[in-house]
Amino acid sequence: SGGATTLDTPASAPGSAAAGDSAIVIGTANFSENQILGYLYADVLKGAGLTVTVKPNLGSREIVVPALQNGDIDLLPEYQGSLLLYLDPKATESDSDALQKALTAKLPQGLAVLPPSAAEDADVFTVTKESAAKYGLSTLADLAKHNGKLVFGGPAEDKTRQIGLVGLKEVYGAEFKAFKSLDASGPLVKGALKSGDVDVANLFSTDADIVKNGWVMLTDPKHLIPAQRIVPLIRTGKATETVKTALAKLNTALTTEELSKLDALVDVEHQDPDTVAAEWSKAHGLSG
Amino acid sequence: MQNGKVVSMIRFDSVSKRFPNGTTAVDDLSVEFSEGGITVLVGSSGCGKTTTLRMINRLVDPTAGTITLGGRDVRDLPAARLRRGIGYVIQQAGLFPHRTVLDNIATVPTLLGWGRRKARARAAELLEVVGLPADAGKRYPNQLSGGQQQRVGVARALAADPPVLLMDEPFGAVDPVVRALLQDELIRLQAELRKTIVFVTHDIDEAVRLGDQIAIFRTGGHMVQCAPPAELLARPADDFVAGFLGSERGLKLLSLVTLAGVPYEPVGSVRSTATVKEARDAAAGRWLLVVSPDGGPAGWLDTGALEGLPGTSAVAGLALAPARGLRDSDSLLSALNETVSSPAGVAVRVDAAGVVTGVTGQDVLHARQRSLT
Amino acid sequence: MQNGKVVSMIRFDSVSKRFPNGTTAVDDLSVEFSEGGITVLVGSSGCGKTTTLRMINRLVDPTAGTITLGGRDVRDLPAARLRRGIGYVIQQAGLFPHRTVLDNIATVPTLLGWGRRKARARAAELLEVVGLPADAGKRYPNQLSGGQQQRVGVARALAADPPVLLMDEPFGAVDPVVRALLQDELIRLQAELRKTIVFVTHDIDEAVRLGDQIAIFRTGGHMVQCAPPAELLARPADDFVAGFLGSERGLKLLSLVTLAGVPYEPVGSVRSTATVKEARDAAAGRWLLVVSPDGGPAGWLDTGALEGLPGTSAVAGLALAPARGLRDSDSLLSALNETVSSPAGVAVRVDAAGVVTGVTGQDVLHARQRSLT
Amino acid sequence: MTIEWQWLSTHTDDLWALSLDHLSTAIPAVLLGLLIALPLAVVAHRIRPLRGVLLGLSNIMFTVPSLALFVILLPITGLTRTTAITGLTIYTLVVLLRNTVEGLDSVPAKVREASLAMGRGRVGTLLKVELPLALPVIMAGVRVASVMTISLVSVASYIGYGGIGQLFTDGFQRNFPTPVIAGVVLTLLLALAADALLVLVQWLCTPWIRKGARA
Amino acid sequence: MIDLLSQLAAWLTSSGQWAGPEGIAQRLLEHVQYSFLSTIVAALIALPIGLFIGHTGRGAFFAINISGFGRALPTVGVVTLVFLASGLSMTPVYVSLIALAIPVIVTNTYAGMIAIEADTKDAARGMGMTGLQSLWRVEIPLAAPLIMTGLRLAAVQVISTATIAAYVSFGGLGRYIFDGLAQRDLTQVLGGAVLVAGLAVTVDLILAGVNRVLFRHRLT
Ligand SMILES: Nc1ncnc2c1ncn2[C@@H]1O[C@H](COP(=O)(O)OP(=O)(O)OP(=O)(O)O)[C@@H](O)[C@H]1O
Ligand SMILES: Nc1ncnc2c1ncn2[C@@H]1O[C@H](COP(=O)(O)OP(=O)(O)OP(=O)(O)O)[C@@H](O)[C@H]1O
Ligand SMILES: [Mg+2]
Ligand SMILES: [Mg+2]
């Protein structure tokens, strides 16, 4: 089956080295949505007749992007806003087109982003239904009313970056009682939100648990949070017409809703990312 | 102690020990270890000596038979109580390395609840008894030499003044000179304390020297013979025993018999202050005994060396062959050794005060004959 | 071997060894170890015996002086080459535990490049020489008893037939019986091989038994005396040496002198097939020697036991006290032991064929006197 | 917490592949460690003053948290298996070095001396006598190092070479205990199998101990 | 590289870095607290087991194998597993650290107990000590140096592994490593590593010193 955890997809094994330039190595970060995306990329590229290897679960962006630069991998599913902030922590662009432009400008030599997908997996600042009622929270602007009272939880990097404490203070004037280093929309932050250890949590919008638990996503009237549409980040040498065309087809077909469903299949139903991806691309006639 | 003597006879009745792995360490042993005496167990390695010893204080339980101590089955007492009443000297000392020498010696008194002060005082006393300097008490065992450790082992066993002492090759680890010293001390101590001692060794000379009674074991845990040393040497039960006793068995026997009663003959002698002329007059054969002013033997003078010397010159200053004076308490063996070593072929006899009384020659051998009856 | 004898004299010239920690292990030693003989180094623990030995094969380098082997300074050869030419028997064998007995013995031949087959053949040969069964060759050292390991150690040292053999307490770890056996074997071997042997021990009896020459060391690395055993026993250089030789020094000396030349007297005897009447007629004193059909001594008959027996009944079957026949090659000490042990007070002498020739009594002591000149 | 047996049965191939991947990090690490430890140990054994330094250094390296070590190595060796292997090799040294030195120490002075006295050189003595006799202690070190390395490999999942460790991250993120349990059990099995194998190797290599029934 | 080192030095020495609820002092305290508690609890569990096995000689097989088993247990796996079972708390951290420390202490205690010479134990019994007296007065004091060594090894291992607390969102010096990683701040990662190693080495040296002082007379 070649599950979430294998190193190589079975299809990639023979002759992948001999295939030379036309062979593509896809890397993914260590969370399931990124793996699903990696396998989706793989499926459509294979459908286009290319030789593809997937190296899933390589680690965080900090580990994976340098690997792309090194040539350890060739292609990576990325998110517009986060990628830009990784490249330039001071960036303030937030709408998709601006982001795409900024990315193209800031990417190091040899890397390029292809046109983004319709699907988006944005950061959302979330509170429980109970907190929302208790504190009267519905937008990020409401947070400033309770300065110094609430606890914020998110991945460690939220402490120092724009879509985190810095931006919330700058744009909305919100300040917190404490910051808790947890994970990126993972079990830690969700657990902490559920148990009340944190009041406001940084989650990802596609996370099935948000709906399941009835959590409230605070709206972002001042557009602090950048668009997080999914973009293929690729080494320029590998960005042939075939690749572009194939990925463009996928990007059109994949919507946020579809992506959320796929996430749920993996995270809640415990199906394997590769299986989920394969079934979806077959159903949408993308795997040739 | 008086009390101790009454209850300290050890008796084995058809005792056997078979270990779970099938080794028979002791096989149907029936024997008595007499009160107030030293019984020595000898035999080659693995013949069951240690096992026999350890059955007495129940470190090993026999698989058959009974052992009584002063008439009471050893199993009647709780093991720990029994052991506190029996001194045990372990092969190569077996001291507690983490305790000072004094604390080591005070082990049993402490267990008996004597109180720290009293136990320590007793330990200090024993340190002296076994001939160790008082400052050794504060040291740790590994700061002592092998021989000193052995002494501590003995002191520890004596601490609560138990009527019975079990000693397992207590002097096994030291060189022959120190060993002889430790043996002397044990003999001296025992003359005073008269404990019932069971002593294990595989050195037959040690056994002959120390034992009031010697039990010889053979591999497989059989006791072959148990008898006083003189009887053993004179009448070994079989070839195994005879072989074990060694080829100079006859001479060993001499070491057990004293000179008391062996006749001596008068001997011609001169004072060491005499003149050459006086010496010439006194000479009967080639060798003339010279006596020092206190009456003891000074040495043998070769009268041949007097030739050509002026009669008035002094004997003092002439070369003498050594002569040792033997008391009645010395053994026939040392007399024989003297006879053989002295150029005159006789042993010089002295009285209790060390004054020359005469000489004994061939009579040493005759005395032996008499003792053989 | 002939070649070996020419180059194998060992000579120390003012040799000292001071270890970096300040211990003087050997102090200004000048001595010669004679060719084709056994020199025994004795002395108490730590007196520098091992160090002396190890300077010969350069496991230790002296801090002063020179050591020559057959006239050549030992430093002239590369150490490894030198060592391959000198057999070394290490205290407690020091075998290689991970090699079979055969491989152990073949060590030096292999190093000398003899080839596997030849080296092994030689090893098998030596196994026999030291009296081990052939199948011991395939075992590992820890499958052998202590005594057997010692033999392997000796075999290993002999393997390349070196003219010089250094033996450091080679029989230290075994019990007295096995030890005597190993000594016998060494004596037998040496009679054949005539190596130059330096032998370390702290057992003075062993030294007297084996040594052509004995060097006595004293703590601090001083050699006190170096002389043949008889001289040492008769004339110890000082009290230390005398003390070291032990109190029965005179008797030990007897063990070095044989009965050859000691006169014997005729003895009344009867054949063991004789009748009681014949025995009565032959009797001169209380004890009568009974001779077995082959001419050897059967034992001493107590003539008192004949009383009341019919004259025609046979002597055979009567209780006899044991009698041992002594050959001319036996020592005075064993004769003395016989004299002391036998009820008749005399030692029975036999000729080379074991046939009784007579008895010796007091003459044993006289013979000693004569040997003292 | 329940186990989804269904998941297990559909993922045996993956578990197998992960185990192989796990071993292809662990085995080179131990071998490399041994290759480095042996000469260092000989030096530490022969030159007293260096012993404290070498053992001390390896001890300090051992106290560096493994994750940090991998991260520190990343800029040097990149996102490759080399990083994982290098880090783990450094950890094996603490055990291998100490045991090899102790093994050499445990060779009785008498035997070493016997070898020299027979006329064997220093190198010959090392190779033919000291190392073989030190083998039991060295092998004990190899066993500990192997087991330890096998359990540590999972930390390398942070850089994508965690072998079985991937199961832990996966289970963690999906709140899914089954892969985690499978991973723990699998790691234990691998470690125990490796240990058993090494015991067998040692048994085969040391006939003198095996046959020393009398000792 | 030089760059990194000077940044590291700056990071370690800046006074702001040490103070406050997120400062090094606080993190160090947390780290020590986690490690200390885990080691103590592990010792309370492991010592009796080791002493029992050593004293009676029963369960030796268990003692020998538990060490292998313990070493093979992947800490990350245990933390994850206990986290999934018990939710967000310190439990997973303590469980895995204790699991890490127990085998080390058990095996060393056992080794200390069986290293006591049979003669010495015999002497204790032969003098008339009961089993418990022998244990308290002879066996434990004699095994103490090795027992202490076991505690020392356990403490060091626990300290370097206690970084795991940060993996499940808690404090300690591991925070610097995990946060530094997330914030792409190699200096911080390195600083955390150096602090952990420094703490471990310090504790190791202190315990070694204590050992030396306590058992000085055994060294000769
Ligand atoms: N606990 C035991 N289990 C099995 N066999 C034992 C045990 N203790 C002793 N033996 C065996 O019993 C026999 C007698 O042992 P014991 O220790 O009594 O001999 P020993 O005469 O004291 O020997 P040594 O002179 O060597 O001390 C030996 O064969 C020994 O191996
Ligand atoms: N390598 C060394 N460094 C320091 N001192 C040493 C060394 N080797 C021996 N010694 C010391 O030198 C002295 C003589 O030692 P050596 O081994 O020659 O004595 P020995 O007569 O063989 O004693 P033993 O009968 O105990 O074997 C001893 O005091 C010993 O401690
Ligand atoms: Mg014994
Ligand atoms: Mg020596």
Side-chain angles (χ1 to χ4, degrees):
Chain A
S1 71
T5 48
T6 42
L7 225 75
D8 303 306
T9 52
S12 71
S16 65
D21 264 350
S22 68
I24 286 191
V25 181
I26 300 173
T28 83
N30 56 355
F31 55 95
S32 25
E33 182 183 87
N34 207 251
Q35 285 176 39
I36 298 170
L37 290 167
Y39 284 115
L40 285 174
Y41 285 7
D43 288 336
V44 297
L45 293 180
K46 264 182 265 173
L50 294 167
T51 314
V52 183
T53 314
V54 181
K55 286 188 172 179
N57 232 339
L58 287 180
S60 62
R61 178 172 293 112
E62 287 68 23
I63 284 164
V64 183
V65 173
L68 190 70
Q69 280 173 271
N70 290 342
D72 291 337
I73 53 177
D74 302 318
L75 173 63
L76 182 66
E78 262 297 0
Y79 303 86
Q80 287 179 312
S82 301
L83 181 59
L84 182 64
L85 283 168
Y86 170 83
L87 297 169
D88 174 13
K90 300 211 172 56
T92 49
E93 288 85 351
S94 71
D95 83 90
S96 179
D97 290 343
L99 281 165
Q100 199 70 7
K101 215 176 279 164
L103 278 174
T104 315
K106 299 244 164 81
L107 272 175
Q109 267 273 273
L111 298 188
V113 282
L114 302 183
S117 156
E120 179 176 26
D121 181 5
D123 289 86
V124 282
F125 300 105
T126 317
V127 296
T128 57
K129 237 191 293 189
E130 295 74 29
S131 305
K134 186 172 162 200
Y135 298 108
L137 301 173
S138 66
T139 78
L140 292 175
D142 297 335
L143 289 171
K145 291 188 287 189
H146 304 283
N147 272 355
K149 282 198 202 125
L150 301 178
V151 177
F152 184 95
E157 58 268 30
D158 273 10
K159 198 176 155 191
T160 51
R161 70 177 192 178
Q162 189 69 17
I163 348 170
L165 296 194
V166 180
L168 281 171
K169 172 146 192 246
E170 221 169 74
V171 179
Y172 289 105
E175 282 182 72
F176 294 91
K177 181 170 130 199
F179 171 81
K180 254 183 137 26
S181 263
L182 296 162
D183 53 2
S185 203
L188 291 179
V189 70
K190 287 186 274 186
L193 184 64
K194 212 183 284 181
S195 68
D197 287 329
V198 302
D199 303 303
V200 184
N202 181 358
L203 301 181
F204 294 151
S205 56
T206 52
D207 198 315
D209 279 324
I210 299 177
V211 180
K212 207 168 118 200
N213 290 293
W215 288 331
V216 178
M217 299 190 263
L218 302 179
T219 54
D220 177 20
K222 296 192 184 166
H223 302 289
L224 163 67
I225 303 171
Q228 296 280 26
R229 289 170 66 184
I230 287 147
V231 287
L233 176 61
I234 193 166
R235 291 168 62 80
T236 30
K238 297 287 182 178
T240 57
E241 279 314 312
T242 329
V243 172
K244 285 183 187 165
T245 320
L247 289 178
K249 242 195 269 173
L250 170 68
N251 283 340
T252 324
L254 187 67
T255 62
T256 305
E257 218 169 294
E258 291 292 314
L259 183 58
S260 301
K261 271 191 222 151
L262 293 180
D263 285 356
L265 283 179
V266 173
D267 289 339
V268 182
E269 310 280 318
H270 298 156
Q271 294 189 23
D272 292 335
D274 59 342
T275 326
V276 168
E279 274 164 15
W280 189 88
S281 39
K282 198 160 164 212
H284 289 74
L286 292 168
S287 52
Chain B
M1 200 84 33
Q2 286 70 359
N3 182 33
K5 286 180 82 169
V6 186
V7 298
S8 60
M9 207 244 314
I10 298 163
R11 196 187 146 95
F12 282 69
D13 266 312
S14 317
V15 171
S16 295
K17 174 68 194 180
R18 229 180 123 87
F19 283 106
N21 67 359
T23 319
T24 300
V26 172
D27 187 20
D28 194 28
L29 176 68
S30 296
V31 69
E32 273 178 22
F33 299 153
S34 49
E35 287 181 35
I38 302 184
T39 303
V40 183
L41 314 184
V42 285
S44 38
S45 195
C47 65
K49 306 181 294 293
T50 297
T51 306
T52 303
L53 203 67
R54 289 156 62 88
M55 286 192 296
I56 299 171
N57 67 0
R58 288 188 50 201
L59 285 174
V60 172
D61 276 321
T63 32
T66 46
I67 299 166
T68 57
L69 177 61
R72 277 183 71 178
D73 192 319
V74 292
R75 277 168 301 193
D76 287 354
L77 272 182
R81 265 263 293 294
L82 174 80
R83 290 176 193 145
R84 287 175 201 172
I86 301 181
Y88 183 33
V89 184
I90 294 173
Q91 203 163 350
Q92 295 178 26
L95 301 178
F96 301 125
H98 62 301
R99 300 279 192 93
T100 62
V101 164
L102 225 48
D103 285 342
N104 258 286
I105 300 179
T107 307
V108 181
T110 308
L111 286 172
L112 290 171
W114 282 22
R116 196 178 160 77
R117 184 174 304 261
K118 193 176 157 209
R120 291 218 156 192
R122 170 70 177 152
E125 189 186 315
L126 277 163
L127 215 50
E128 213 186 307
V129 170
V130 298
L132 284 173
D135 74 326
K138 281 187 223 87
R139 299 203 227 150
Y140 288 93
N142 60 5
Q143 297 173 292
L144 302 181
S145 74
Q148 291 174 316
Q149 290 184 22
Q150 305 273 19
R151 283 165 207 245
V152 177
V154 174
R156 186 176 61 175
L158 287 172
D161 202 10
V164 177
L165 221 54
L166 310 178
M167 309 179 81
D168 195 353
E169 306 200 24
F171 311 145
V174 290
D175 70 74
V177 180
V178 178
R179 191 171 187 148
L181 262 165
L182 290 169
Q183 289 169 355
D184 286 342
E185 251 162 59
L186 181 65
I187 290 169
R188 180 176 61 71
L189 267 175
Q190 173 68 352
E192 222 176 86
L193 306 177
R194 306 229 62 90
K195 307 268 177 201
T196 298
I197 298 181
V198 187
F199 188 107
V200 169
T201 180
H202 49 230
D203 176 355
I204 188 70
D205 289 325
E206 187 165 78
V208 170
R209 186 131 189 254
L210 298 177
D212 294 309
Q213 193 179 224
I214 298 177
I216 299 206
F217 282 73
R218 187 179 196 151
T219 313
H222 308 281
M223 189 182 73
V224 191
Q225 189 172 11
C226 178
E231 191 186 324
L232 203 67
L233 287 165
R235 279 181 287 278
D238 60 15
D239 285 353
F240 172 80
V241 177
F244 204 90
L245 296 172
S247 59
E248 268 109 46
R249 187 155 50 86
L251 293 171
K252 273 184 194 132
L253 198 42
L254 292 188
S255 71
L256 293 173
V257 187
T258 66
L259 275 171
V262 177
Y264 44 87
E265 301 148 23
V267 61
S269 64
V270 289
R271 306 242 131 216
S272 51
T273 53
T275 63
V276 167
K277 172 154 186 326
E278 284 169 314
R280 276 195 200 121
D281 293 345
R286 178 171 165 199
W287 295 94
L288 176 67
L289 185 64
V290 179
V291 177
S292 52
D294 61 6
W300 293 101
L301 178 68
D302 187 345
T303 52
L306 296 177
E307 256 168 60
L309 289 182
T312 53
S313 66
V315 164
L318 293 176
L320 299 178
R324 192 160 82 87
L326 296 167
R327 291 193 164 73
D328 279 2
S329 58
D330 283 318
S331 73
L332 287 185
L333 188 66
S334 48
L336 188 61
N337 183 57
E338 259 322 276
T339 324
V340 167
S341 312
S342 91
V346 290
V348 178
R349 302 284 296 271
V350 297
D351 61 18
V355 176
V356 173
T357 53
V359 294
T360 301
Q362 320 295 11
D363 278 329
V364 170
L365 296 185
H366 296 154
R368 160 72 185 98
Q369 249 56 56
R370 269 195 309 283
S371 80
L372 260 187
T373 23
Chain C
M1 202 80 36
Q2 287 71 5
N3 182 34
K5 287 180 79 170
V6 187
V7 298
S8 59
M9 208 246 311
I10 298 164
R11 197 185 145 96
F12 282 68
D13 266 312
S14 316
V15 172
S16 294
K17 174 67 194 180
R18 230 179 122 86
F19 282 106
N21 66 359
T23 318
T24 300
V26 173
D27 186 23
D28 194 30
L29 176 68
S30 294
V31 67
E32 274 179 21
F33 299 153
S34 51
E35 290 181 32
I38 302 183
T39 302
V40 183
L41 314 183
V42 284
S44 39
S45 195
C47 65
K49 306 180 296 291
T50 297
T51 307
T52 304
L53 204 69
R54 289 152 57 88
M55 288 192 295
I56 299 171
N57 67 0
R58 290 187 50 201
L59 283 174
V60 171
D61 275 322
T63 33
T66 46
I67 299 165
T68 57
L69 178 62
R72 278 184 69 177
D73 193 320
V74 291
R75 278 169 301 194
D76 288 354
L77 272 181
R81 264 266 290 296
L82 174 81
R83 290 175 192 151
R84 286 176 204 172
I86 301 179
Y88 185 34
V89 184
I90 295 174
Q91 203 164 347
Q92 295 177 27
L95 299 178
F96 303 124
H98 61 306
R99 297 289 191 88
T100 61
V101 165
L102 225 50
D103 285 342
N104 260 286
I105 301 179
T107 307
V108 182
T110 308
L111 286 170
L112 291 171
W114 281 22
R116 194 179 161 77
R117 185 175 302 261
K118 194 175 156 211
R120 291 218 154 196
R122 169 68 176 152
E125 190 185 315
L126 276 162
L127 216 50
E128 213 186 307
V129 170
V130 298
L132 284 174
D135 74 327
K138 280 187 225 92
R139 299 206 225 151
Y140 287 94
N142 60 6
Q143 296 174 285
L144 302 181
S145 74
Q148 290 174 316
Q149 291 185 23
Q150 305 274 22
R151 284 164 207 245
V152 177
V154 173
R156 186 175 63 173
L158 288 171
D161 203 10
V164 177
L165 220 53
L166 310 178
M167 308 179 83
D168 195 353
E169 306 199 25
F171 311 145
V174 290
D175 71 74
V177 180
V178 178
R179 190 170 188 149
L181 261 165
L182 290 168
Q183 289 170 354
D184 286 342
E185 250 162 58
L186 181 64
I187 291 169
R188 180 176 61 69
L189 266 175
Q190 173 67 350
E192 221 176 87
L193 305 177
R194 305 231 61 90
K195 307 269 175 202
T196 298
I197 297 180
V198 188
F199 188 105
V200 170
T201 181
H202 49 229
D203 176 354
I204 188 70
D205 288 324
E206 186 166 77
V208 170
R209 185 133 191 250
L210 298 176
D212 293 308
Q213 196 179 222
I214 298 177
I216 298 207
F217 283 72
R218 187 178 194 155
T219 313
H222 309 282
M223 189 182 73
V224 189
Q225 187 173 11
C226 179
E231 192 187 323
L232 203 68
L233 286 166
R235 277 182 288 277
D238 61 14
D239 285 352
F240 172 79
V241 177
F244 204 89
L245 296 172
S247 59
E248 267 109 48
R249 184 155 51 85
L251 293 172
K252 274 185 192 129
L253 197 43
L254 293 189
S255 71
L256 294 172
V257 187
T258 66
L259 275 171
V262 177
Y264 45 87
E265 301 148 21
V267 61
S269 65
V270 288
R271 307 243 131 218
S272 53
T273 52
T275 62
V276 167
K277 175 158 188 323
E278 283 167 314
R280 277 194 198 122
D281 294 346
R286 179 171 165 199
W287 296 94
L288 176 67
L289 184 65
V290 179
V291 177
S292 52
D294 60 6
W300 292 101
L301 179 67
D302 185 347
T303 51
L306 296 177
E307 258 168 56
L309 290 181
T312 53
S313 65
V315 164
L318 292 177
L320 299 179
R324 192 161 81 89
L326 296 166
R327 292 192 163 74
D328 280 1
S329 59
D330 283 319
S331 73
L332 286 186
L333 188 66
S334 48
L336 189 60
N337 184 56
E338 254 328 274
T339 323
V340 167
S341 311
S342 91
V346 291
V348 178
R349 303 283 296 272
V350 297
D351 62 17
V355 175
V356 173
T357 54
V359 293
T360 302
Q362 320 294 11
D363 279 328
V364 170
L365 296 183
H366 296 154
R368 162 69 187 100
Q369 247 56 55
R370 268 194 309 281
S371 79
L372 259 188
T373 23
Chain D
M1 192 159 55
T2 50
I3 298 183
E4 284 185 22
W5 296 103
Q6 160 72 22
W7 184 90
L8 282 180
S9 63
T10 53
H11 288 79
T12 45
D13 290 355
D14 298 338
L15 294 179
W16 177 245
L18 282 173
S19 301
L20 289 182
D21 182 47
H22 202 89
L23 289 178
S24 56
T25 306
I27 292 174
V30 175
L31 290 181
L32 205 63
L34 201 55
L35 213 63
I36 297 170
L38 279 180
L40 281 184
V42 171
V43 169
H45 173 68
R46 294 259 165 104
I47 308 171
R48 281 267 152 185
L50 279 183
R51 165 182 303 207
V53 175
L54 287 172
L55 291 181
L57 264 179
S58 69
N59 264 331
I60 291 175
M61 291 308 294
F62 190 66
T63 61
V64 176
S66 34
L67 177 61
L69 187 63
F70 289 133
V71 173
I72 294 164
L73 284 170
L74 264 183
I76 305 165
T77 43
L79 186 65
T80 56
R81 196 179 292 279
T82 316
T83 306
I85 293 174
T86 310
L88 293 170
T89 300
I90 290 173
Y91 286 118
T92 62
L93 286 183
V94 72
V95 183
L96 293 177
L97 198 57
R98 175 159 31 84
N99 274 62
T100 311
V101 172
E102 271 171 16
L104 290 173
D105 282 348
S106 77
V107 177
K110 269 203 184 82
V111 175
R112 193 194 328 272
E113 230 158 50
S115 174
L116 290 174
M118 301 295 124
R120 226 200 294 267
R122 301 268 283 176
V123 177
T125 299
L126 178 70
L127 295 180
K128 299 236 159 155
V129 177
E130 295 180 88
L131 284 179
L133 286 179
L135 201 66
V137 186
I138 297 177
M139 283 302 287
V142 174
R143 285 173 59 192
V144 172
S146 304
V147 169
M148 194 181 78
T149 306
I150 286 175
S151 109
L152 266 182
V153 168
S154 38
V155 178
S157 16
Y158 227 92
I159 55 168
Y161 287 93
I164 293 169
Q166 316 261 16
L167 293 172
F168 303 150
T169 338
D170 182 39
F172 182 66
Q173 279 166 351
R174 295 202 273 161
N175 201 356
F176 183 21
T178 306
V180 183
I181 294 168
V184 171
V185 171
L186 214 50
T187 311
L188 288 178
L189 287 181
L190 275 192
L192 297 184
D195 198 46
L197 189 72
L198 287 168
V199 170
L200 181 69
V201 168
Q202 181 180 348
W203 188 80
L204 290 174
C205 289
T206 52
W208 65 94
I209 294 172
R210 202 177 341 138
K211 294 186 181 166
R214 279 193 49 138
Chain E
M1 199 69 201
I2 303 290
D3 223 34
L4 196 62
L5 286 182
S6 64
Q7 278 167 19
L8 177 64
W11 187 84
L12 280 173
T13 49
S14 84
S15 58
Q17 195 62 253
W18 281 82
E22 311 253 298
I24 295 176
Q26 174 63 23
R27 295 280 178 239
L28 200 61
L29 205 71
E30 289 163 357
H31 205 97
V32 169
Q33 182 201 324
Y34 303 158
S35 312
F36 187 75
L37 249 167
S38 311
T39 312
I40 291 294
V41 173
L44 287 179
I45 298 169
L47 282 178
I49 297 175
L51 290 175
F52 177 81
I53 296 171
H55 181 65
T56 59
R58 260 176 284 167
F61 183 80
F62 168 78
I64 293 159
N65 286 291
I66 191 184
S67 74
F69 201 73
R71 262 191 293 269
L73 212 54
T75 308
V76 185
V78 176
V79 171
T80 310
L81 200 57
V82 180
F83 168 77
L84 292 182
S86 73
L88 188 60
S89 68
M90 272 300 285
T91 316
V93 178
Y94 282 127
V95 168
S96 59
L97 291 182
I98 291 166
L100 183 76
I102 286 178
V104 186
I105 303 175
V106 169
T107 36
N108 272 272
T109 306
Y110 169 73
M113 294 288 284
I114 58 159
I116 301 170
E117 286 186 27
D119 261 2
T120 309
K121 282 196 261 191
D122 255 13
R125 284 211 300 152
M127 298 299 124
M129 290 188 193
T130 60
L132 268 182
Q133 282 172 328
S134 165
L135 183 66
W136 278 111
R137 300 186 185 199
V138 177
E139 295 172 52
I140 291 179
L142 281 175
L146 264 179
I147 295 176
M148 284 290 293
T149 306
L151 289 176
R152 193 177 136 197
L153 285 175
V156 169
Q157 253 177 292
V158 164
I159 287 172
S160 87
T161 313
T163 38
I164 204 87
Y167 181 67
V168 284
S169 88
F170 292 92
L173 295 168
R175 265 289 41 103
Y176 297 117
I177 294 168
F178 281 90
D179 289 0
L181 207 60
Q183 297 165 8
R184 283 195 300 143
D185 183 356
L186 195 57
T187 314
Q188 204 183 137
V189 175
L190 207 58
V194 166
L195 286 171
V196 173
L199 179 63
V201 170
T202 309
V203 168
D204 192 36
L205 288 178
I206 291 173
L207 290 179
V210 169
N211 229 5
R212 200 162 304 147
V213 170
L214 283 181
F215 308 116
R216 200 180 351 214
H217 58 275
R218 313 263 182 87
L219 295 177
T220 20

